[in-house]
Amino acid sequence: MKKQNVDIAIQAAGVTKIYGNGNGKIVALSDVSISIPANEFFTLLGPSGCGKTTLLRLIAGFEHPTAGTIFLNSEDITNLPPFKRRVNTVFQNYALFPHMTVTENISFGLEMLGRPKNEIASTVDEMINLVKMVELKDRQINQISGGQQQRVALARALAPRPDVLLLDEPLSALDQKLRKEMQIELKRLQNETGITFVFVTHDQEEALTMSDRIAVMNQGRILQIGTPREIYKQPAERFVADFIGETNFLQADVISARDGIAEIALPSGTKVEANLPDGFQPNKRVNIVIRPEHTMITADTDDYALVGRLENAVYFGTDMHYHLILDSGEPFMIRMQNNPEDNIDKLTKGVKIYVGLSKNAVQILRD
């Protein structure tokens, strides 16, 4: 078998997956290459139909690629059946046995692997403690909540100590409060076990909260890989910026560009500096993004960057969202934290708004 870097848990090299043929063929993945280091929490993020679950199923062995190679801890596993891969999967529906107790569900996989009884007992105890289910270990699955069932599914998948744990949108069936709690629990489990997690989701908050790195996917391709901070603060292209968080898109005129920094003129005529993406050579016009939380309402006597008219103000409890139409005609949103001493939540539609920007608020896109 071919060998790769042993510090890389999962590597996909030039992986393509095509369903069907002729005019009816569907390209689910197109020349995808990734490297996932051992002990990393890696997330595949994108909209429905982008190819993220297909890639997960290829790693698990439930599907085989049309082209390309998949490695697990340096071994070529492209054509290995699932049961010969040191990989376990937690599915969206958990796939637990309702007629068994929590303990029996966790021990089932170990029994199928023929592990000694004393090893099974100690491992099950360890897993039950890990997922904090000690008091419920003798309950049947239909006697515990959805969040508790998810913990059992995780414990069962972790019990054989796989090299990689694959998670296919496991939080999607939970309510919002429980999802937030389980996001923290999943990251804790990954840290405590040191197992490589590959997590699939379409939820940007889940990805930003838990991941060491994120791969943003669309139409069978990986558009950008980076840490949550890199993906959010330095999106490589418009789709990434739009999919991750709320974003204002504008065009700006390039005045000068040198040493990785461009001086640009905003639609208002205000001049600002922005970092250029690596290797990007700007033309006369560039597309820029400004995150709403990097903006503020300011007075016309201050150094303002943009001017518009208020269309709507939406109260979100912790903050306010102000929707404007700029003088240049583009929509624009400001997000500001609520302050009990402020009166700006009483602004009326049509009032003139002056927009201030935080330092380094403007990011230039490649496309």
Side-chain angles (χ1 to χ4, degrees):
M1 291 185 176
K2 299 177 183 178
K3 296 290 181 180
Q4 298 292 310
N5 188 336
V6 294
D7 294 326
I8 301 298
I10 292 289
Q11 183 170 12
V15 170
T16 295
K17 180 62 178 178
I18 300 173
Y19 295 99
N21 50 56
N23 293 332
K25 75 176 182 180
I26 298 172
V27 181
L29 290 174
S30 179
D31 195 24
V32 167
S33 295
I34 57 168
S35 291
I36 304 174
N39 307 327
E40 184 172 63
F41 197 122
F42 189 87
T43 296
L44 302 172
L45 173 67
S48 297
C50 72
K52 57 188 186 295
T53 295
T54 299
L55 181 54
L56 199 79
R57 289 178 63 83
L58 291 174
I59 296 170
F62 302 138
E63 304 272 0
H64 295 286
T66 306
T69 310
I70 298 174
F71 297 90
L72 171 64
N73 288 338
S74 81
E75 289 192 5
D76 182 348
I77 61 167
T78 308
N79 297 309
L80 281 182
F83 67 90
K84 289 191 175 181
R85 306 182 184 205
R86 288 188 53 80
V87 171
N88 268 357
T89 306
V90 177
F91 298 99
Q92 192 170 343
N93 63 0
Y94 310 150
L96 297 172
F97 299 112
H99 62 285
M100 292 184 180
T101 65
V102 168
T103 297
E104 290 167 344
N105 265 277
I106 298 172
S107 64
F108 179 80
L110 299 172
E111 292 169 359
M112 292 299 98
L113 292 171
R115 301 285 174 82
K117 288 186 177 181
N118 60 340
E119 180 186 332
I120 292 174
S122 63
T123 301
V124 170
D125 284 345
E126 180 187 349
M127 291 298 110
I128 285 175
N129 278 283
L130 183 67
V131 298
K132 302 178 180 178
M133 294 285 290
V134 175
E135 295 179 358
L136 302 174
K137 65 181 182 178
D138 295 322
R139 294 270 186 94
Q140 288 193 317
I141 296 304
N142 59 7
Q143 296 175 324
I144 60 177
S145 69
Q148 291 163 344
Q149 288 179 25
Q150 199 231 33
R151 290 169 187 256
V152 178
L154 285 166
R156 186 178 66 180
L158 290 168
R161 293 182 173 84
D163 294 334
V164 176
L165 184 65
L166 308 175
L167 301 110
D168 188 7
E169 303 205 47
L171 306 183
S172 61
L174 306 179
D175 62 59
Q176 185 177 15
K177 186 174 185 297
L178 191 52
R179 286 179 78 156
K180 290 181 179 295
E181 292 174 0
M182 288 308 303
Q183 288 168 15
I184 297 170
E185 282 299 297
L186 275 177
K187 186 59 182 173
R188 176 186 68 83
L189 288 171
Q190 195 271 329
N191 283 333
E192 290 188 15
T193 61
I195 292 172
T196 304
F197 278 25
V198 182
F199 186 86
V200 162
T201 185
H202 62 272
D203 188 308
Q204 55 182 272
E205 182 180 307
E206 285 182 0
L208 293 172
T209 300
M210 296 184 290
S211 311
D212 295 317
R213 287 190 307 147
I214 300 169
V216 182
M217 299 185 66
N218 191 38
Q219 297 182 341
R221 298 186 303 117
I222 292 179
L223 304 183
Q224 186 174 357
I225 297 176
T227 65
R229 185 177 294 273
E230 289 168 347
I231 294 289
Y232 188 82
K233 294 188 69 175
Q234 299 170 335
E237 53 185 271
R238 186 184 180 99
F239 179 88
V240 177
D242 195 26
F243 194 77
I244 304 287
E246 295 170 306
T247 312
N248 294 303
F249 293 96
L250 298 173
Q251 285 193 323
D253 294 315
V254 179
I255 299 170
S256 64
R258 181 177 179 182
D259 298 329
I261 297 175
E263 184 182 20
I264 59 177
L266 298 176
S268 61
T270 301
K271 297 176 183 178
V272 297
E273 288 188 344
N275 294 325
L276 288 169
D278 291 341
F280 181 62
Q281 298 298 321
N283 295 315
K284 292 183 179 180
R285 301 212 85 189
V286 289
N287 295 310
I288 63 171
V289 294
I290 302 173
R291 297 290 187 184
E293 67 272 19
H294 297 156
T295 65
M296 66 213 69
I297 295 176
T298 187
D300 61 354
T301 55
D302 295 338
D303 291 332
Y304 59 84
L306 298 161
V307 183
R309 299 277 178 180
L310 182 65
E311 284 288 300
N312 193 21
V314 183
Y315 179 75
F316 275 86
T318 56
D319 52 17
M320 289 287 296
H321 292 192
Y322 300 94
H323 297 269
L324 320 179
I325 297 296
L326 299 179
D327 286 355
S328 54
E330 296 97 339
F332 195 86
M333 189 175 82
I334 299 170
R335 185 163 74 206
M336 293 178 63
Q337 187 171 3
N338 278 322
N339 185 328
E341 298 177 1
D342 283 342
N343 289 316
I344 57 176
D345 60 326
K346 297 179 174 63
L347 293 172
T348 57
K349 181 177 179 179
V351 69
K352 198 168 190 176
I353 300 290
Y354 296 89
V355 183
L357 301 180
S358 302
K359 186 178 180 181
N360 300 322
V362 178
Q363 297 293 322
I364 296 174
L365 295 174
R366 290 183 179 274
D367 62 348

